[in-house]
Amino acid sequence: MQMATSRIRTVAYYALLSRVAIWAIAVASHALIQDYDSALDLILPIETSPQRLFKSIFGVFLRWDAFYFVHIAENGYAFEQAHAFFPLLPILMRFVANSVLAPLGPVMTYQQQIVLAGVLAANVSFILAAVQLYRLSNILFGNERFAFLSAMLYILTPSGIFMSAIYAESLFAAISFTGMIYTARRQYLPAAVLFSLSSTARSNGVLYAGFFVYDLVIQMDLSKTTMQKLLILSKTAILCAISWLGFLAVQAYGYSLYCSEDHSNVYMRPWCLAKPPLLYTFVQSFYWNVGFLRYYEIKQIPNFLMAAPMITLSAVGIYSYIMHDTRRALTLGRDSIYAGRKQTPPFMSQAMFPHIVLWAVLLLSNITTMHIQIITRAFSCLPPVYWFAAHQFGDKEYGLRVGYARSVTIFFVMYGLIGVILFANFFPPA
């Protein structure tokens, strides 16, 4: 217990240190390189010396999607396209600005308080996520060294700047990792509540109901009576419904804004008549051109190249796990050629199976449907990314060829460093 507490403090310390380092690199690069876009001046205009100082310190975290989160936190959902960005982070930002940061009102504008609240929310969430990933890894695998290494690799995540900026990734990671901890402990109700909450931060939180399906249905003891099976199925359905409530509530709120009886058929938006009437899918398709194979254009080749390292890491990780035990893959984890074997590397263990399935589903979705350049930051919230990376530093019998661990480290550090410089100066990817 004392060792675990000491490790948690160490993880938290290095997570904090990494945020300070990223902030320092971002500020320095911004001072040396002219912004590609001047949109920041509209959000944080410079009229006084304190405003200039605030902008130089925190302006590097206000780029791209961060503008939407700040606008939503300050003004609510004023535009339909803003519904691509989920409300949990803006709600938290407004709460922090109106409570914790309220005493700063005499020296800060409300907009500055909102921005500072967003920066605090993202960075505190990142530290919490690092600690929770360490705890989750320890619970699942019972290997303290592997858990610590996984947490350290998370701290070096190649999407480091996005985890500090006013984006929802860090918040989503902290909540979803905690939900996974409860799932690993078979405490499904709090896990469902947390997954529901996570789905108000990022839409892919709805997929996490799959952990209940795997644990309770796929791994069900077939010798149980029919009544027992029905009870398990009912329990699973209830847990899934709870975990989807957050996402559905967000969609219901959108429906109330644009599709209520107060809107005549003349002004009613087309998605209101769809079945089901999901605002999120309409906004992604109509405003952001998200759809099956829509991104497969010649002009998007640079974005595919930027995404290639994470795509490769993910594909190799999934393939390695499947080929290690094809029987387990074919039987959905119900059987294994290594059944009864005590010594199995954490990444190749049975506990990994539902995480590998989630990883594979998201990989397929990202490479066929989403804006491919976001895959690196989108996968920053996936534990198996870091478990596979940590695996390369472990058992040579199951790791890849010599030097792969070094390649993974170089990718994490260099991609993250380049990302900080590009983001701080308003260059893509976003």
Side-chain angles (χ1 to χ4, degrees), residues 31-226:
L32 297 173
I33 303 172
Q34 184 177 358
D35 278 357
Y36 177 73
D37 192 300
S38 60
L40 180 62
D41 295 334
L42 300 175
I43 303 296
L44 295 177
I46 298 176
E47 298 177 358
T48 64
S49 295
Q51 287 180 342
R52 184 183 301 276
L53 178 62
F54 183 90
K55 182 179 178 182
S56 65
I57 294 175
F58 299 107
V60 291
F61 296 129
L62 188 54
R63 299 287 190 267
W64 301 106
D65 294 356
F67 288 113
Y68 284 95
F69 286 115
V70 169
H71 190 271
I72 295 168
E74 189 176 7
N75 305 292
Y77 285 95
F79 308 103
E80 188 178 60
Q81 61 265 38
H83 289 268
F85 305 93
F86 277 35
L88 184 60
L89 178 58
I91 289 172
L92 180 60
M93 290 165 60
R94 183 182 296 183
F95 173 78
V96 172
N98 292 339
S99 57
V100 178
L101 302 180
L104 298 178
V107 295
M108 276 188 183
T109 66
Y110 185 63
Q111 200 166 54
Q112 288 176 327
Q113 289 173 278
I114 289 288
V115 170
L116 180 56
V119 173
L120 289 174
N123 287 272
V124 171
S125 293
F126 179 83
I127 296 170
L128 292 175
V131 169
Q132 294 301 73
L133 179 61
Y134 168 78
R135 296 179 63 219
L136 172 65
S137 305
N138 234 345
I139 292 169
L140 282 179
F141 309 119
N143 187 319
E144 196 280 329
R145 177 185 177 277
F146 184 83
F148 182 72
L149 182 55
S150 299
M152 290 297 102
L153 287 165
Y154 175 77
I155 290 170
L156 292 175
T157 179
S159 59
I161 185 62
F162 293 99
M163 311 305 277
S164 284
I166 306 175
Y167 276 59
E169 274 72 15
S170 287
L171 181 59
F172 177 79
I175 298 170
S176 61
F177 292 174
T178 306
M180 291 176 191
I181 288 174
Y182 280 107
T183 302
R185 291 173 172 169
R186 301 296 188 265
Q187 296 173 305
Y188 295 120
L189 182 57
V193 172
L194 286 165
F195 290 153
S196 178
L197 184 63
S198 76
S199 70
T200 64
R202 286 186 60 84
S203 62
N204 47 311
V206 299
L207 297 176
Y208 288 36
F211 286 106
F212 308 133
V213 175
Y214 176 76
D215 278 5
L216 299 174
V217 179
I218 295 178
Q219 292 294 306
M220 185 192 300
D221 182 358
L222 298 180
S223 65
K224 291 183 178 294
T225 65
T226 301

Side-chain angles (χ1 to χ4, degrees), residues 158 161-162 413-425 427-429:
I161 185 62
F162 293 99
V413 174
M414 293 305 298
Y415 201 100
L417 179 61
I418 294 170
V420 172
I421 297 171
L422 292 175
F423 185 91
N425 295 285
F427 286 94

